[in-house]
Amino acid sequence: MHSYSLVAPAKINLYLEIIGDRPDGFHELVMILQSIELADRIDIKPSDTQDIYIYCTHPQVPTDESNLAYRAAKLMCDTFPDLYANYGGVNIKIKKNIPVAAGLAGGSSNAAAVLVGINLMWELGLTQPELQDLAAKLGSDIPFCISGGTAIATGRGEKLDALKDLDNMWLILAKYDNTSVSTPWAYKTYRQKYGQSYISDRAGIKSRTAELHSSPIVSSIAQKNIEEIGKLLSNDLEKVVLPEYPQVAELKSAFAKQNVLGTMMSGSGPTVFALCESESKAIAVKQQVRNQITDPQLNFWVTRLSSNGIQIDDSTS
Ligand code: C5P
C-alpha cells in the first residue's frame, strides 16, 4: 500500500449570509467560499495495528477523537469495515501552517485531506461527489475543502456550485494568537439577536438562495472585477463577533485605512483578511498595520487566492 502526502488549503468567506434556521438545529446559509494558498501538509500512512494515530506539530491541536481528522479516518474505517479489517489502521501526521480556531477551516481541510488520502491509499475509487457526501456527515465546510476554488455554498454550507476561479488576488491574514471564537457561540448569539428576522418558510429560503446566484458579488466574480469584489465582501457573523472582540474590530479598521480592495472577518473569526491586487501591496499593508499595532500576539500571513482543493503534495517526491 502506498503512503500519501497531501496539501490541505485554508479557506476564507467572501460572503456569509445567515438566512434561517434548519430542522437539524443548524442554520440555512448563503456563502461564497474561497480557497487560499496557506495550507497544512498531511501525511497518511498505513499502520501496523488497527489504531488511528494522529501526530500534529501544533501543541493546541488535539490528537484524540475530538480531532476532525481522526473522525474522518474513523468514518472511513466504519464505512468500509472489510478494508479496515484487511489493511489495518492509519497513521496521520499534520504539519500545521493554518492558524488554529481561526475561521479558516483548518480542521475541516485536514479532515478533507484524510478522506481523500484514505480513498487513494485503499484504492477505493470514490468519486469527488461521493467523498463530499461522506464529508458532509463530519462538518459543513468539509465538502468545499475537498474541491476548493471559488464556490457558492448553501444549505448548511455543504451544497456547492463552483464559480469561475479567482486566483488574481493577494491577501493578508491577521490573527491574535491569544484570541479564538467558538463557532457554536457565534451562531447561537446571532440567532438570539437576529432570529426574529429569519426567513421561516421553505419557499422563501429557496428564493433567497436562488437570488445569490444573480447577485452583484457573483457577477463581479464572473467578471474578475477585483475592485467590485472587494467592496461587496460581507459576513453576517461580524455583527456578533466584532462587538464582543473590540481588538478584532480595530484590526479591521486598521486594514480599511490602508486603501485595500476590501477587508472582512473570515467565517466566525477571529481572523481578519484584507484583499490586495499584488504581493508587494499586501506586504506593504502588512508592514503598515504591524507598525500601528505592535502587540506581539498579533500574527500576519501574506498569501494568495487559490483554485485548488486537496492536492497530492508532489513537492516532497
Ligand atoms: O458543521 P460545523 O461543525 O463546521 O459547525 C460548527 C458549528 O457551527 C455547529 O455546531 C453550529 O453551532 C454552527 N453552524 C450552524 N449552521 C451552519 C454551520 C454551522 O449553526 N450551517
Side-chain angles (χ1 to χ4, degrees), residues 22 25-29 108 138-141 155-157 183-184 187 191:
R22 294 168 54 90
F26 281 69
H27 284 87
E28 287 289 345
L29 305 176
S108 295
L138 293 169
S140 313
D141 286 339
R156 262 171 65 210
T183 305
Y187 278 101
R191 181 186 282 123

Side-chain angles (χ1 to χ4, degrees), residues 188-264:
K188 197 175 87 193
T189 309
Y190 192 90
R191 181 186 282 123
Q192 280 162 2
K193 281 199 171 169
Y194 302 104
Q196 73 287 354
S197 61
Y198 284 0
I199 303 172
S200 53
D201 59 306
R202 293 311 306 163
I205 284 173
K206 225 173 140 191
S207 88
R208 180 64 203 113
T209 302
E211 266 168 42
L212 182 74
H213 287 75
S214 50
S215 65
I217 186 161
V218 170
S219 308
S220 318
I221 291 170
Q223 293 153 13
K224 294 202 176 198
N225 184 337
I226 60 176
E227 281 80 19
E228 279 304 305
I229 294 166
K231 285 184 205 146
L232 294 166
L233 299 173
S234 178
N235 181 351
D236 274 345
L237 290 174
E238 281 196 342
K239 292 185 220 161
V240 292
V241 177
L242 297 190
E244 193 71 22
Y245 296 86
Q247 265 186 324
V248 180
E250 278 164 31
L251 185 55
K252 190 182 167 195
S253 308
F255 277 128
K257 287 186 193 127
Q258 295 301 319
N259 195 24
V260 292
L261 295 168
T263 177
M264 186 66 41

Side-chain angles (χ1 to χ4, degrees), residues 168-174 225-233 238 249-265 272-290 292 300-303:
N168 55 342
M169 269 190 274
W170 287 80
L171 70 160
I172 315 121
L173 301 166
N225 184 337
I226 60 176
E227 281 80 19
E228 279 304 305
I229 294 166
K231 285 184 205 146
L232 294 166
L233 299 173
E238 281 196 342
E250 278 164 31
L251 185 55
K252 190 182 167 195
S253 308
F255 277 128
K257 287 186 193 127
Q258 295 301 319
N259 195 24
V260 292
L261 295 168
T263 177
M264 186 66 41
M265 185 182 81
V272 174
F273 67 87
L275 295 176
C276 295
E277 58 279 25
S278 67
E279 183 180 22
S280 55
K281 170 80 183 179
I283 292 169
V285 169
K286 172 188 136 177
Q287 204 47 56
Q288 288 291 334
V289 175
R290 163 53 80 214
Q292 280 169 43
F300 295 89
W301 296 260
V302 171
T303 184

Side-chain angles (χ1 to χ4, degrees), residues 61-231:
V61 173
T63 53
D64 60 9
E65 54 278 13
S66 64
N67 187 313
L68 266 180
Y70 182 103
R71 281 160 48 203
K74 176 87 171 55
L75 178 66
M76 292 301 260
C77 295
D78 292 347
T79 310
F80 304 100
D82 295 347
L83 291 169
Y84 172 49
N86 272 343
Y87 293 146
V90 190
N91 283 332
I92 300 163
K93 184 173 170 194
I94 304 171
K95 182 171 182 290
K96 266 277 154 216
N97 300 311
I98 305 170
V100 176
L104 298 171
S108 295
S109 191
N110 296 171
V114 169
L115 296 178
V116 171
I118 295 180
N119 186 38
L120 291 167
M121 194 169 76
W122 290 355
E123 297 181 350
L124 280 162
L126 297 177
T127 61
Q128 192 171 82
E130 285 169 340
L131 279 175
Q132 288 174 315
D133 284 346
L134 281 172
K137 296 182 184 182
L138 293 169
S140 313
D141 286 339
I142 307 178
F144 170 77
C145 291
I146 291 179
S147 48
T150 311
I152 293 179
T154 56
R156 262 171 65 210
E158 86 291 9
K159 286 190 207 134
L160 302 172
D161 281 304
L163 295 172
K164 201 162 160 181
D165 286 336
L166 257 189
D167 42 17
N168 55 342
M169 269 190 274
W170 287 80
L171 70 160
I172 315 121
L173 301 166
K175 178 184 179 284
Y176 287 95
D177 243 358
N178 52 354
T179 308
S180 59
V181 176
S182 150
T183 305
W185 169 84
Y187 278 101
K188 197 175 87 193
T189 309
Y190 192 90
R191 181 186 282 123
Q192 280 162 2
K193 281 199 171 169
Y194 302 104
Q196 73 287 354
S197 61
Y198 284 0
I199 303 172
S200 53
D201 59 306
R202 293 311 306 163
I205 284 173
K206 225 173 140 191
S207 88
R208 180 64 203 113
T209 302
E211 266 168 42
L212 182 74
H213 287 75
S214 50
S215 65
I217 186 161
V218 170
S219 308
S220 318
I221 291 170
Q223 293 153 13
K224 294 202 176 198
N225 184 337
I226 60 176
E227 281 80 19
E228 279 304 305
I229 294 166
K231 285 184 205 146

Side-chain angles (χ1 to χ4, degrees), residues 49-71:
T49 70
Q50 293 303 114
D51 294 334
I52 297 165
Y53 180 75
I54 306 255
Y55 169 79
C56 182
T57 54
H58 194 298
Q60 258 174 279
V61 173
T63 53
D64 60 9
E65 54 278 13
S66 64
N67 187 313
L68 266 180
Y70 182 103
R71 281 160 48 203

